[in-house]
């Protein structure tokens, strides 16, 4: 029998409800084998173009001993060197770009995976997505969550969570997409403290092991300070204090944005037409200081390096004239796919992404369809490590200004 709620074991991470199922539950299609004459052209793609073959052994199941120990595939997207590939290391990053403004995501992953029981003894699992109540009511909070139990969860159901029953959850409503609204109450102290004590890190479904104590540190970037994500902005995982010091010594500067990564990041594209895919929303914020830093970088001719697809989505969502950004907060459902021209970012550091994912479409939009295919084929052939705890790519020259 498969491990999971039914037999009381932890099993695989909580799968999203209908319409939010993880990729590994989807039937695989053979990869598309189209080719285009110019690798730098951003052509429209179909969903089948987002397929590729990946041996299971290349999916990283744990982080490397050193944060900055990963390999780095350098991909030149600019017209002067379209599709050129170079094998490097993350520690080479300071010398691979001219002095740049490096924008990171400072979201903090919540220990959002909670296990408990119904009054009948049936096993329950919740994955917290977003707090709905205003800050301040610390003993009781309303949350948007995903849930599963041996016999389902209906409005009015009350469950205890955590080994010592530190949290109580009452199901308030069930949304059309199958997700829940729940009220969390702490037996003592604040709800936030109880979640921190009782929750597990929500590792992605392709990491086929239970979360460990070390994941609380390693599935978190060194920049993390704003709680709210249920998945890490994985490109940022490669930065160590030593690497940051080396970057600053080489003339690079840092700025922060916030985008809280939601479970929709794992939702595969199912429609043949990418335009028909319902893009998930995520919360973001750009500070006045970061907007000013980007404006100053433009005045100085300093390129912008986006650390991860979450930073790309944030900056492109906040873009205004002059390749600058507007300070503020909001929600974005921006779907970056071919054809697309970057409005703000010049270079992107990113991990390798799932087949049939919106994140792979984003990479194709910025680096070019054939260039991306060639890069991924090279990464598979040379045994790069894939996904959250895996290696990285540096996409150089993705902006309008570099073309």
């Amino acid at each position: 029998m498969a491990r999971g709620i039914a037999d009381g074991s932890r099993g695989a991470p909580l799968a999203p409800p209908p319409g939010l199922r993880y990729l590994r539950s989807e039937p695989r299609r053979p990869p598309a084998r189209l080719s285009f004459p110019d690798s730098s052209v951003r052509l429209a793609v179909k969903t089948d173009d987002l397929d590729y073959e990946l041996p299971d052994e290349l999916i990283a199941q744990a982080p490397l001993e050193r944060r900055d120990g990963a390999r780095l595939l350098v991909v030149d997207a600019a017209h002067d060197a379209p599709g050129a590939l170079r094998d490097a290391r993350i520690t080479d990053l300071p010398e691979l770009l001219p002095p740049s403004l490096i924008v990171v995501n400072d979201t903090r992953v919540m220990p959002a995976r909670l296990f408990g029981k119904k009054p009948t003894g049936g096993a329950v699992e919740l994955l917290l997505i977003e707090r709905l109540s205003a800050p301040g009511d610390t003993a009781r909070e309303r949350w948007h969550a995903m849930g599963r139990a041996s016999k389902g969860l209906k409005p009015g159901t009350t469950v205890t969570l955590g080994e010592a029953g530190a949290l109580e959850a009452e199901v308030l409503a069930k949304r059309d997409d199958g997700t829940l609204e729940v009220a969390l109450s702490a037996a003592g102290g604040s709800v936030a403290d109880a979640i921190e004590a009782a929750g597990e890190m929500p590792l992605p479904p392709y990491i086929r092991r239970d979360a460990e104590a070390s994941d609380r540190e390693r599935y978190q970037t060194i920049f993390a300070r704003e709680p709210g994500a249920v998945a890490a902005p994985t490109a940022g995982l490669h930065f160590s204090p030593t690497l940051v010091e080396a970057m600053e010594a080489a003339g690079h500067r840092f700025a922060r944005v916030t985008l809280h990564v939601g479970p929709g990041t794992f939702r595969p594209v199912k429609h043949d037409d990418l335009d028909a895919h319902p893009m998930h929303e995520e919360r973001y914020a750009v500070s006045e200081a970061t907007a000013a830093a980007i404006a100053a970088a433009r005045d100085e001719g300093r390129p912008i390096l986006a650390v991860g697809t979450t930073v790309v989505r944030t900056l492109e969502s906040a873009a205004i004239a002059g390749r600058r950004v507007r300070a503020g907060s909001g929600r974005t459902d921006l779907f970056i796919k071919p054809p697309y021209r970057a409005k703000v970012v010049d270079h992107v550091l990113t991990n390798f992404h799932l087949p049939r994912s919106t994140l792979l479409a984003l990479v194709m939009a910025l680096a070019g369809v054939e260039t991306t295919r060639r890069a991924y084929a090279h990464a598979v052939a040379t045994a790069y490590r894939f996904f959250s705890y895996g290696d990285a790519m540096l996409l150089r020259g993705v902006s309008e200004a570099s073309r």
Side-chain angles (χ1 to χ4, degrees), residues 2 42 67 76 81 86 88 127-128 130 140 143-144 165 181 211-213 235 264 294 315 369 386 391 401:
R42 271 65 172 161
R67 278 188 181 270
D76 282 307
R86 171 186 167 188
L127 179 69
L128 303 180
E130 179 183 352
R140 181 179 171 86
W143 281 78
H144 181 205
E181 292 184 19
E212 301 171 357
I294 290 174
L315 296 182
V369 174
F386 277 65
D391 297 316

Side-chain angles (χ1 to χ4, degrees), residues 20 51 56 76 95 98 100 113 142 155 164 183 255 318 346:
L20 288 176
D51 266 330
D56 284 346
D76 282 307
E95 289 75 43
S100 303
R113 195 179 183 200
R142 191 163 57 91
D346 300 296

Side-chain angles (χ1 to χ4, degrees), residues 190-201:
S190 70
V191 170
D193 288 344
I195 292 172
E196 191 67 30
E200 292 187 5
M201 292 300 276

